Amino acid sequence: MSHSNGPRTGRPPVLAPRGMVCTPHYLASASGLDALRRGGSAVDAAIAANATLCVVYPHMAGLGGDGFWLIAGPKTGGVQALEASGPAALAATRDYYRERGCTDQIPARGPLAALTTPGAVDGWRLAHERHGRLPWASLFADAIMYARDGMAVSRSLADWLAADATILRQFPDMARIYLPGGRPQREGARLMQAGLADTFEQLAASGARAAFYEGPIARRICDALGPVGSPLRPDDFARYQARWVSPIATTYRGHEVVQMPPSTQGFAALQILNLLEGFDVAGWGDGTADYYHHMVEAVKVAFADRDEWLTDPDFVDIPLETLLSKDYAARRRKLIDAGQALAADQIEPGLRYGARLDRRGPDGDTVYFCASDADGLVVSIIQSIYHDFGAAVVGGDTGVIMQNRGSFFSLDETHPNRLEPGKRTFHTIIPAMMLKDGKPVLAYGTMGGEGQPQTQAAMLTRLVDFGYDVQQAIEAPRWLMGRTWGMASRDLWLESRISDETARELRLRGQPVKMVGRWDGTLGHAQAIRIDHETGLFEGGADPRGDGAAMGF
């Protein structure tokens, strides 16, 4: 139910009894809803929605990226976690990059940035094998149509085409597709991606393994990018498989909150909740300086551990049991002073590894979306090509934009996230799920790199502590503590709907406040579905900061 004190913009939560899909683009939500109406599962809906997102949101999603899934329902035996995150190519050594003039860091754009195997498509395969009901080929009809016949450029895509035009012009294949006539297309213009349509048709007809990973798509990508610097080879694609992993969890006020394990920052999101649980969040009241100050301080403390430890757990033994314990949170909570801000870059981690992550911005663009069906299956999924337009290179004639997630690896041999062949890098992207008495009651998440654990904490406190509905929790004024969009400093960004007096009080407490727009998309596009097991209704919400929609039936 809505809360009388929560924000209202005229967009109510969507209530429906049989199924729900929430994505950051209305056409993707419609694709997912169509899958549900045809008798598909929530997983079918998620794949169909993701495929459409790869076409209509090419700056944030794509076949060349990674994905992470949380799936739960009456027959899943708890929450199932699917990691579809590709490792570094076997040829991607630190020497490989030094020999090509990269001594400090891996370039964020260009063929050298395309060094990790795309994982998302094999994640679709695994999820569909376990939970799909519709034929595989039928899930890509909308994506093929929009790529072949064209779709209208949305507001978000138009903004990013304009912002990244200089980058896109450096790479002829990208410019040919996304800057026709040499200029970025405006909102409402028709964008066609014939190569991507061909790739989707092959994927639909032959499947993920035969078409993408062990077949012509991988070969064409590598044949195009290998000679100009990418270390990816067809064997890297053929060797890769997505995998089911064990999720991690904590409790928050009687609920179980579930996240992906490393190499994602999911444990930082859980640490934030552990820290907040020791405070009277409801007593502060939403929108107050006390609320924002404590939320931000909890983020700073959690990020100190994240930056110390987060990398591929196959290469570093991460002490998760300690980091997620309530006793550890109680000790770390003592660092938080209600009247004075901590200096974010000077907080020592509670446990030492020896070398901390350097945080480079921007932190990436992503799509978060969720789906539920009449059988009670709930999916929380996130997919990304990392930066806006990823590495800004297309894999030959495939139309596939390659992710640049591997550019976050360090070339420092002592660094926990140092580049090594076959290693997965630090991932910011995290889907989330909340359970009550073992049943999923909330699927939620957002895009926004470093802001993801923060926005998740904001949504959860506004739902659990303040009693908002999902749309109110999504729309409430947002903050972001951290470096974003290439900024050198770690500031506290506040949407300007937060009052001047609250911003002033935060500055008096030492917070490095910077104001942004009233509805600023750089602070994330969040979606959520809440499940009421008593009424059998799904309550969906989508973020007005993006182009999304919650759709149910």
Side-chain angles (χ1 to χ4, degrees), residues 46-47 50-51 54 60-69 82-87 116-128 136 140 200 203 208-209 212-213 237 240-243 367 369 381-385 400-401 403 427 429:
I47 296 171
N50 199 173
C54 291
M60 293 188 177
L63 299 174
D66 288 339
F68 296 90
W69 298 63
L82 176 55
E83 178 193 82
S85 165
T116 59
T117 306
V121 173
D122 207 51
W124 295 351
R125 174 188 66 86
L126 275 188
H128 186 260
W136 169 264
F140 306 103
F200 265 115
L203 181 62
R209 300 309 306 179
F212 196 87
Y213 289 96
F237 283 77
Y240 173 73
Q241 291 199 23
R243 59 185 181 180
V367 287
F369 50 106
I381 178 174
I382 199 161
Q383 204 258 307
S384 175
I385 54 174
V400 175
I401 300 174
Q403 68 180 348
H427 258 285
I429 61 176

Side-chain angles (χ1 to χ4, degrees), residues 143-145 147-148 193-202 398:
I144 293 168
M145 175 184 65
R148 178 79 63 203
Q193 302 167 79
L196 187 58
D198 291 342
T199 294
F200 265 115
E201 286 178 343
Q202 293 176 59
T398 66

